[in-house]
Each structure stands twice: as C-alpha cells, then as structure tokens.
Amino acid sequence: MPHISAAAALQICVLLSALPAQYFISQWYGTDSAQRIQITERLIIASWSSFTKSYLNLDAWADRLKLWLSKTRQGEGTKTERRKVVNTVKEEGENWYYGEKKTKIADNEAETHSYFAESTHVRSPKPEYIQFSVGQVIVHKRFGYSGVIVGWDVKANAPEEWLQHKYPPAKQDLKDTPHYRILINKANGFGKSTAYIPEEEITIIMGLEVHHPDMKAYFSGYDGSKYIMQPWLKKIYPHD
C-alpha cells in the first residue's frame, strides 16, 4: 500500500476532529434532544462516507498509486536524461583533449578525421626541428604516463575548438610547435588510449615496452630502443 503523505494524514485528522466539534456545537444550538440525535447521525454518516470514498476505496488508492508511479517515472526519466547529457559533454570534452574526436561524414558513418597526426600524406623531407621519431617510447613530463609515438605534425593540426580548449591565450605559441600522436601504455592505468601533445611535454625513454591493443597495427617489433614501423607507416614517415 502506498505511503500516506503528510497532507493525507492531515486530512484524516481534520475529518475525525470535525465530528466531535460539530457534535459539541449541535448540543449548544439544537432545539431538543431528538433533533440533536438526528443531526449527529447525519454528521456521522457524512463523515464516514467521505472517509470511505477517500481512504477505504480501492479505486481511490489505485489512482493514488498511478499518480505516484507516474511522478516517479518522470523523475527518473529526467535524472537519466540529465546524466546522459552530462556524460556526453564530459566524454566529448575528454576525447577532444586527447585527440580522439570523431566527425560525421555525409553518409552518416563515423570516421576519424585526418587531424591529430593521422593524415597519410608523406612526411618528407623531415624538418630538422622535429626532435623525435615514430616508434620512440616517451614519458609525459607532467602526467608521468608512457607511450609510443605513432605520428607527428610540424605544428598542431586539430579543430579550432580543440585548440581553443587546450591552448588558452597564455599558451598560444605552443600551437606552432611540433605535435605527436601517442598510443598510451595500458600498463600505466591512465584510462585513455591516445594523446596528442606538444613536443615540449615529452621526453624519450629506452628499454621500456608499451602495451596497447593497436601496437601490431603500427609496429612489427621492438629492438630495445624503438619500435619497428609496419611498411605502410614507414612509407608515411620514411626518415624516422
């Protein structure tokens, strides 16, 4: 049986208290005992009828139950939608930051854009100011996670929204420095699979192997100092 609300309880108390109050009044204002008895009987019958219709009637309780369930579903639905919106915003914000944003093309199929060092154009010749190479293992200077370089751009190649998010006015100069796409080592438990970061945030480390589900797609092996690129990747980065 549904829980009786405070308003319903108050209504019951009012109905029950009305009977003795009205009986008391009838004693003072009734003309004789027979009339007072008749008035009292009518009051009892009216009060009992009202009470049974409101609280002893299955249809009334069924209506209350339906109303309660309807409000509960609406409340849960609102909470669920709000959680979905929050999670979507959060997830998209994180994916923008780590270079995993996907875009919709005309046929409505999701496809990774050529941003974030994923363009297949051949990087040749390789500029001298590009310090690091595809296949080298890195450590992030601030966050401490390790990973392997799978691509680079001579400067940040990303959507304008991403650039504005990552580089506030005080860091605008970093947009024009080399950027590297990283497969993050799962052994770090960092929670993200890739990153797209400027050169100044990484340092090279040797003798460390990287564990990532996409390693074999990019590399054929590890020689102790760097990973050996697959032929398709070597064509894109012939000088690395």
Side-chain angles (χ1 to χ4, degrees):
M1 182 177 290
H3 179 70
I4 298 177
S5 65
L10 179 60
Q11 187 176 357
I12 293 173
C13 292
V14 170
L15 287 172
L16 293 177
S17 63
L19 181 59
Q22 292 181 19
Y23 175 74
F24 178 77
I25 293 172
S26 68
Q27 283 188 321
W28 281 95
Y29 294 98
T31 56
D32 53 43
S33 59
Q35 190 174 28
R36 287 197 296 271
I37 292 173
Q38 187 178 16
I39 292 173
T40 301
E41 288 177 348
R42 286 201 297 267
L43 288 173
I44 292 173
I45 293 172
S47 298
W48 178 251
S49 176
S50 176
F51 178 78
T52 54
K53 287 180 181 179
S54 297
Y55 300 103
L56 298 181
N57 184 284
L58 291 178
D59 292 335
W61 280 112
D63 291 340
R64 287 191 180 89
L65 180 60
K66 289 178 182 178
L67 180 60
W68 178 76
L69 290 175
S70 175
K71 290 182 178 179
T72 301
R73 289 194 189 101
Q74 290 177 359
E76 290 300 322
T78 301
K79 291 178 182 178
T80 300
E81 290 301 318
R82 184 160 53 245
R83 283 196 296 268
K84 286 181 180 178
V85 171
V86 171
N87 289 339
T88 299
V89 172
K90 181 180 178 182
E91 182 180 272
E92 290 193 354
E94 290 175 346
N95 287 344
W96 274 118
Y97 183 80
Y98 290 101
E100 296 176 353
K101 181 64 179 177
K102 295 182 184 292
T103 57
K104 291 285 185 178
I105 57 176
D107 59 1
N108 293 325
E109 293 180 359
E111 172 179 283
T112 303
H113 199 281
S114 59
Y115 292 130
F116 308 115
E118 289 193 316
S119 172
T120 57
H121 79 268
V122 178
R123 307 315 203 264
S124 181
K126 181 179 181 179
E128 294 182 358
Y129 56 83
I130 303 293
Q131 297 184 34
F132 308 132
S133 301
V134 173
Q136 287 185 302
V137 179
I138 64 93
V139 173
H140 196 286
K141 293 179 180 178
R142 288 190 297 132
F143 299 140
Y145 63 79
S146 59
V148 60
I149 299 172
V150 294
W152 51 259
D153 292 317
V154 294
K155 65 178 181 178
N157 181 21
E160 187 61 32
E161 296 93 333
W162 186 91
L163 294 172
Q164 291 177 2
H165 173 77
K166 185 165 184 179
Y167 297 122
K171 294 185 176 182
Q172 286 293 301
D173 292 344
L174 286 177
K175 293 191 300 183
D176 296 323
T177 64
H179 277 61
Y180 298 82
R181 183 171 182 84
I182 310 297
L183 295 185
I184 298 176
N185 192 351
K186 290 295 184 182
N188 298 150
F190 192 68
K192 286 296 173 184
S193 61
T194 64
Y196 187 65
I197 48 184
E199 192 171 80
E200 73 163 27
E201 293 185 355
I202 62 177
T203 185
I204 299 299
I205 185 172
M206 295 186 182
L208 177 66
E209 293 191 45
V210 174
H211 301 282
H212 190 284
D214 296 334
M215 289 296 290
K216 291 184 179 180
Y218 289 93
F219 307 108
S220 60
Y222 181 61
D223 65 8
S225 62
K226 66 181 297 186
Y227 280 88
I228 310 303
M229 288 184 279
Q230 295 284 11
W232 71 268
L233 190 58
K234 186 64 177 178
K235 289 179 180 179
I236 299 174
Y237 299 94
H239 307 296
D240 281 31

